[in-house]
Amino acid sequence: MEDGALLDPVQDRVYRVLIRLASAGVDEVARLAEVRPDDAARALHALRDQGLAAERAGETTVFVPLAPDVALGDRLLRRQAALEDARRAVAALSEEFRDTARRRDADRLVEIVHGRTALRDRLRTVQAEAREEILWFCRANPLAMPGTENTEEPGALSRGVRYRAIYERGLLTDPGELTGITESVRLGEEARTLPALPVRLAIADRRTAICPLVPDGERGFVEPTAALVRRSELLDALLALFESHWERATPLRLSGGVIEESDADVSEKHLLSLFVAGLPDKSIASQLGVSRRTVQRRLDRLMSIAGVDTRTGLAFQAARRGWL
């Protein structure tokens, strides 16, 4: 019997013939239904057993059709009840599957990485596998991999991966860090700075994020631990956090920058970027390898070019004129 059919094909054909004839014997039904007599006999007896035909004895046995609504109506009700039971069973199984899938997926969405070496390896791996973009929050006192040790970035930049990095201002005063940042910018990194960042963070291709979990105050007591976050609402929140800070951050154009009204040399462009980033004169002098007096004199020269007499005015003009 086909799925959903109340009668098999032979029974259905025989019953329809019997309805047209009103009463008939086996041979007549077989001839008009175009089935073998033994098949017609089996079908007629099955219809009788199902309450769809009645058998009348006489000189020859004949069969008469009975109304289908009573016999088949009961069967339909039973099927409907069975289907409703099956529907409820499927719904329960589906809900159990979704609950299990949610728990299983949640376990995969966040992975905990333990130890400085493992964290450094993950940072290298996500860069090596990146195809579109790397986003960084670079705080002072790097946890696992100082910028000078990030050997994956040049290769990623060379194959077209975009790097956007926000550096905490204190990092720019660390020995050697500014040199590494300058080289990264020269290779194509987009760098900005803020006085402070909320967390350390690396995001690759907007698909995977690495965010250390141990607060700086506990670094000397426990091994570094980080969360590796895959596509999820948590990752969306980390992306929004980065973009909001990127909008507020000050660009660092440490080489190749343009100051429209001056013939400023490279050191003056460096100086202006560091000044707008908020570094004090002493730190700027140390980074540029000049005296504090030289820094002050060059800032005075840039103020003259900008037509202002205060450092606040210089910062404003640098932003308004697109110098940074």
Side-chain angles (χ1 to χ4, degrees):
M1 189 177 298
E2 297 179 359
D3 290 344
L6 295 173
L7 301 173
D8 70 28
V10 174
Q11 292 173 11
D12 182 80
R13 189 182 308 172
V14 168
Y15 184 58
R16 291 176 185 276
V17 167
L18 192 60
I19 290 174
R20 293 200 304 269
L21 296 175
S23 67
V26 171
D27 292 339
E28 187 177 9
V29 169
R31 179 174 58 80
L32 293 176
E34 298 180 344
V35 298
R36 294 182 303 177
D38 55 345
D39 290 336
R42 280 194 294 271
L44 287 166
H45 285 98
L47 293 171
R48 179 198 61 193
D49 294 341
Q50 296 176 66
L52 293 171
E55 185 177 358
R56 293 180 180 175
E59 293 183 2
T60 60
T61 300
V62 296
F63 292 84
V64 296
L66 298 178
D69 50 353
V70 175
L72 297 184
D74 289 343
R75 191 183 303 179
L76 282 173
L77 289 175
R78 290 194 297 272
R79 285 198 178 183
Q80 287 175 347
L83 285 172
E84 182 62 22
D85 291 341
R87 187 196 64 76
R88 285 194 292 266
V90 170
L93 288 171
S94 298
E95 184 61 29
E96 183 177 349
F97 174 83
R98 285 191 292 268
D99 288 343
T100 302
R102 281 193 290 267
R103 291 193 296 271
R104 182 179 64 245
D105 292 343
D107 291 339
R108 290 200 298 259
L109 289 177
V110 178
E111 176 185 348
I112 305 302
V113 181
H114 298 279
R116 184 173 283 102
T117 300
L119 179 53
R120 184 185 299 113
D121 290 343
R122 285 303 182 96
L123 288 170
R124 295 190 188 282
T125 299
V126 296
Q127 291 182 90
E129 295 178 351
R131 293 295 176 265
E132 297 177 6
E133 185 178 53
I134 296 289
L135 310 176
W136 286 109
F137 271 173
C138 302
R139 297 184 69 183
N141 303 313
L143 180 63
M145 188 170 65
T148 53
E149 297 180 11
N150 186 9
T151 56
E152 272 64 39
E153 181 172 352
L157 285 167
S158 68
R159 67 173 185 271
V161 177
R162 182 188 185 192
Y163 271 70
R164 288 193 287 154
I166 305 177
Y167 294 95
E168 203 168 59
R169 188 169 296 159
L171 185 65
L172 302 180
T173 63
D174 289 349
E177 285 291 343
L178 186 59
T179 301
I181 296 171
T182 301
E183 178 61 18
S184 295
V185 172
R186 186 186 68 79
L187 294 174
E189 177 184 287
E190 299 172 47
R192 297 187 180 187
T193 185
L194 282 171
L197 292 170
V199 293
R200 292 178 173 83
L201 181 65
I203 304 177
D205 289 343
R206 311 182 83 84
R207 297 167 59 93
T208 306
I210 297 178
C211 182
L213 300 175
V214 178
D216 282 2
E218 300 178 13
R219 287 174 59 181
F221 304 98
V222 295
E223 188 74 7
T225 302
L228 190 150
V229 182
R230 298 182 177 87
R231 280 185 170 175
S232 60
E233 290 192 3
L234 177 56
L235 179 58
D236 291 342
L238 292 174
L239 284 165
L241 179 69
F242 178 89
E243 296 295 353
S244 67
H245 282 71
W246 180 259
E247 290 298 321
R248 302 201 313 267
T250 301
L252 280 175
R253 296 177 182 166
L254 303 178
S255 63
V258 176
I259 300 179
E260 296 174 351
E261 292 95 347
S262 74
D263 294 325
D265 59 26
V266 171
S267 64
E268 285 179 327
K269 296 169 186 176
H270 284 213
L271 182 152
L272 183 58
S273 292
L274 296 172
F275 161 70
V276 173
L279 271 67
D281 291 358
K282 183 178 179 180
S283 296
I284 295 174
S286 176
Q287 293 293 340
L288 296 181
V290 299
S291 68
R292 185 174 179 180
R293 177 61 182 164
T294 299
V295 170
Q296 294 171 342
R297 186 175 64 252
R298 289 180 176 177
L299 284 174
D300 288 342
R301 165 176 150 73
L302 291 171
M303 287 164 57
S304 177
I305 293 172
V308 297
D309 56 7
T310 65
R311 292 192 172 192
T312 302
L314 175 58
F316 174 78
Q317 288 297 326
R320 188 181 70 82
R321 301 183 186 202
W323 291 353
L324 292 173

